[in-house]
Amino acid sequence: MQAFLSGHNDADEIQEGAEGRNQEKVETSIIQSLYNSITDSFVKPPIDKEAQGSHSDSNISTTIPKSQDTDQTSNSAWYSELLGVLESLGATLEHSDTNESKSDSRVSLEELAANESDYMSWLTGAKSKLDEVALQVQNQDWSAFTSFTAEEPENVSLDNLKQNTESTEEIARARTVKGRILEQISAVQAQLNRQVDEATAALGSAVQNMLPPQLQRPWIAECAQSCIDQEIHPDLLESTSVRVSSDICGQEADFQAKRAEKIRHDFAKFIGVSASSVDIRDIPVIGIAGSGGGFRAMISTLGSYRAMYEAGLAQCVTYDAAVSGSSWAIAALHTYANSNPYLALDSVREAMKTSMFSTSSLSEFVNENEGIAKRVFADIAARYLLSAAKSEDSHSDAQSKDGEAGARELQTGGIQKTATLLDRILGEAARRGHQAVDVLFPEKYQTWVNKSQSALVPLTMDELLEAAKSTLRTMSVPPLSVVDLYGALLFRKLIVQHVKAGDNQKPDLVLDPKWVKLSAQRPAVDEASQPMPIYTAVRHFIGTDDNDPNKAQSHQYQWFEFNPYEVGSIDHGAWIPSWAFGRPMVNGREQLKIGEAHFGGIIGAVSSAFCASFDAMIMELYTAVPSAVRSAMDPLLDWIEHGTEVSHPIPPYTLHNPFYIGEQPSASQSGKLAELESKPLLSLMDAGMENNLPFAPLLRPERNVDVIVCLDSSANIDIMPWFARAEAWAGDHGVERWPWGARPWSADPLRPSKAEVKLDQSTLSGTRSVRESVNKRIRDDNIRCVVFDQPVASSPLPKKNGSLPRPITILYIPLLPNAKFRDPDFDPETADFCGTFNDQWTTEQINLLADLASFNLTQEVSRIRDALKVAYKRKRAHRLYEEGLGA
């Protein structure tokens, strides 16, 4: 070390006199401070003593001797000890790098992981402390230091200096104390970075070996394989495009025509006329609107559907639309149950015996049903691997730049970032070659064929990750969230069919692989043998370019729908085929070909009520307390209302935005669409945030729905503003056919919005008596179906010359107790087991709720029949009237 220290001659030191000695004390104090910064914090690293051997003296320890008398310690001594500490740390790292730990079969995996964890913690602390010291060195003003200069390099001529690529300033800096310390820190930091990487990998390996097989990399890769299985995803090699239009797609228009023909006899039978007298153009388009309400809504919707099936009404339906909990019922009916509500209820009875959040039940499911489990969790596995691969690739890029920028970063105290532990445990993408590139990227549309056998070469997830590496660098990868896991658990509970095996026996589980896809529900719709299902979600736009809640001046929920043909935005008029939903796209071009988004993820998204804004969470509490407490809460809610409306404590379901154009969206598009096109990721949540009844997709003018049957299983059913919000949406979107003023309840909504207050004060100013009459019929007369087929208030829309608006008929069927039911005291509103989030029910409880829903609807069949007959006659008269005008 002495070779690096400055030499001093006596003459110079005498000339400096007392002033020089005072300066020396100041400099010594600074060096002492830096020295203490290191030695006070570094402790001996947890390395096996037996493996250390004679090198144990090189361990960093707080026992390194220090002089207590700074006046009697030369600057050179402090400098020597400071650099000695850094060299000692480097030697320790070199030693641990060259001496592998002895293997001992008696050491448990837990002990091995604990040892690796201890060493990792020490390394992390050392890195952090070196960062601090480097920053102190960098920020220290060294210009006043006169007693320290590096030795003049020997044998350095002027010509040699000219040939040297370093500047004169760099040479001067290298001769200073600062330069020597930074050089030493740089060397140690470089080794620390390498040691951290290796220690992280060792710790990851130790922890991975402790995990069950289902959480280890090979199982996850096999699980994710379903996402690129061409037997499950035959559209994998197809190219897609975005459709921008407010109209329905051609396939749906064809479905409507086929469905009308298909249901002609059933409709004629239901309303009591001969089939030959029915023109299919006059058959009203009927849509079911199932509400949210968790498992209560799912079971009651299935009970109502059972009654409709028995009455012959279900066979006349064209659309099955749902929000949140009712989506689960619709999903069951359009997958394994094949529109059979009895089969769906049988499976639900078995599935609801255990909680879907039970870890023991989940572990048992995975261990005993590995094939099904891999399909259930396929999407989570694939998204995880893609995210981990991007993280690892970013880390590799950073390491490759170390040679260029390492010295600069070390001089500023910077330490290279490394991948997270989770990434290192499960996120390493194996390098399996490039044979998948041409299949996976849209530039070339060809199937890889084994020329010798003329068979498709199977694609693996590792091949996908390798091929995706270049794409991932420029992509925003959607983060996994609790919604993804929630959706997988729902799929396992409700879409995997549970078949009763016998008394006290676990049910048999059945899953057709195709049901992992929404588009698999298309064949039955193509044939018009079933209604078209429509699942709904909303995007929360908070009115700023970067969606920053702190800048929000206003906010709105924008409706999205998922159907077997398309996924898209009702409010933006942008659509993509359902089989392509989930692919990363930019400017209408696919960036990577992967399988369709898992239906479990969609089910999770459309029912993610727990992703509600903070304001909505407060309202749940608000509706549960007595009115006196509500009055006391009002001032507080008024004060905090704005910020809480746009804040979501739990992030929503997020995936690639198929409508993403880039930072410069199309100037020709509307403001709403241009804003959507500027976001690489799309976040969706439970549509109940806006309206717990799916009016929006059924009110689209281009669908021409004539009758909406509302199955409302909402909590606090009589104080919810669903009709008021639907009316506001109809006004904003020019839906002339809405029955203006329709309200089933006389009570005003709790804490209505300003728009709702304004609406009530204007449009509904003269309708309170009508609402009170309707309310009385429901409460006092035990009516369980209210018909709205005429407006009771004036339309806010401008009248069109020559038009004859034909109002939509709304049949409102609330889930309420019934005095004539076998258990007249049963009230779903107050029964504890009917709670929205209760996921464990007994068979008796399921039967009680489903039977009540069936009873209520059966009681109203004649009223429903009369309303449909009126709708049919009205549509027929309207057609004849228009034909007469045309003639």
Side-chain angles (χ1 to χ4, degrees), residues 35 67 71 122 305 328 332 407 471 511 525 540 565 583 687 758 769 837 848 887:
Y35 175 77
S67 170
D71 290 333
W122 180 82
Y305 225 101
W328 308 338
T471 303
L511 175 64
V525 179
H540 196 181
Y565 294 121
R583 295 184 183 182
K758 182 179 179 181
S769 61
F837 297 105
L848 185 62

Side-chain angles (χ1 to χ4, degrees), residues 356-405:
M356 71 179 189
F357 303 109
S358 166
T359 54
S360 60
S361 175
L362 179 60
S363 176
E364 190 176 85
F365 163 72
V366 173
N367 290 325
E368 296 180 2
N369 305 274
E370 186 175 21
I372 294 177
K374 286 180 178 179
R375 294 188 177 100
V376 169
F377 296 104
D379 191 56
I380 292 179
R383 291 182 63 184
Y384 168 76
L385 290 177
L386 285 169
S387 179
K390 179 177 175 65
S391 176
E392 183 179 83
D393 192 50
S394 299
H395 176 51
S396 299
D397 286 346
Q399 285 186 322
S400 67
K401 298 176 182 177
D402 189 56
E404 304 173 2

Side-chain angles (χ1 to χ4, degrees), residues 316-332:
C316 304
V317 172
T318 301
Y319 292 104
D320 282 335
V323 167
S324 198
S326 287
S327 299
W328 308 338
I330 298 304

Side-chain angles (χ1 to χ4, degrees), residues 517-536:
K517 308 182 305 175
L518 169 62
S519 64
Q521 300 173 32
R522 174 175 173 172
V525 179
D526 282 339
E527 297 170 359
S529 60
Q530 293 181 8
M532 189 178 94
I534 302 174
Y535 308 92
T536 60

Side-chain angles (χ1 to χ4, degrees), residues 271-315:
I271 65 171
V273 299
S274 65
S276 60
S277 67
V278 174
D279 188 318
I280 61 171
R281 293 173 295 177
D282 302 331
I283 298 176
V285 176
I286 302 171
I288 301 296
S291 79
F295 292 94
R296 176 188 63 253
M298 176 192 70
I299 294 169
S300 63
T301 297
L302 287 175
S304 297
Y305 225 101
R306 181 178 60 186
M308 290 192 294
Y309 186 85
E310 293 172 349
L313 174 60
Q315 294 84 333

Side-chain angles (χ1 to χ4, degrees), residues 10 25 60 76 91 151-152 206 253 269 320 345-346 405 443 447 514 596 631 660 717 720 723 736 751 802 826 830 833:
D10 293 339
K25 289 181 181 181
I60 302 304
S76 298
E151 286 186 336
E152 291 292 337
K269 181 179 180 181
D320 282 335
L345 280 168
D346 286 343
E443 288 81 357
T447 303
K514 67 184 179 183
E596 179 181 341
S631 300
Y660 178 54
I717 198 168
M720 292 293 103
F723 274 71
E736 297 178 310
R751 298 186 59 78
F826 170 54
T830 58
F833 67 85

Side-chain angles (χ1 to χ4, degrees), residues 127-180:
K127 288 182 63 173
S128 176
K129 182 51 62 177
L130 273 180
D131 250 355
E132 295 175 9
V133 173
L135 191 60
Q136 291 180 45
V137 172
Q138 185 68 28
N139 294 334
Q140 175 63 47
D141 182 9
W142 295 86
S143 61
F145 274 58
T146 59
S147 58
F148 285 113
T149 58
E151 286 186 336
E152 291 292 337
E154 297 180 2
N155 303 322
V156 177
S157 66
L158 181 61
D159 291 338
N160 289 337
L161 285 176
K162 289 181 179 179
Q163 294 173 3
N164 198 314
T165 57
E166 294 182 337
S167 66
T168 303
E169 291 78 12
E170 290 173 325
I171 294 175
R173 177 178 52 77
R175 295 172 181 171
T176 64
V177 175
K178 174 183 177 181
R180 294 304 300 144

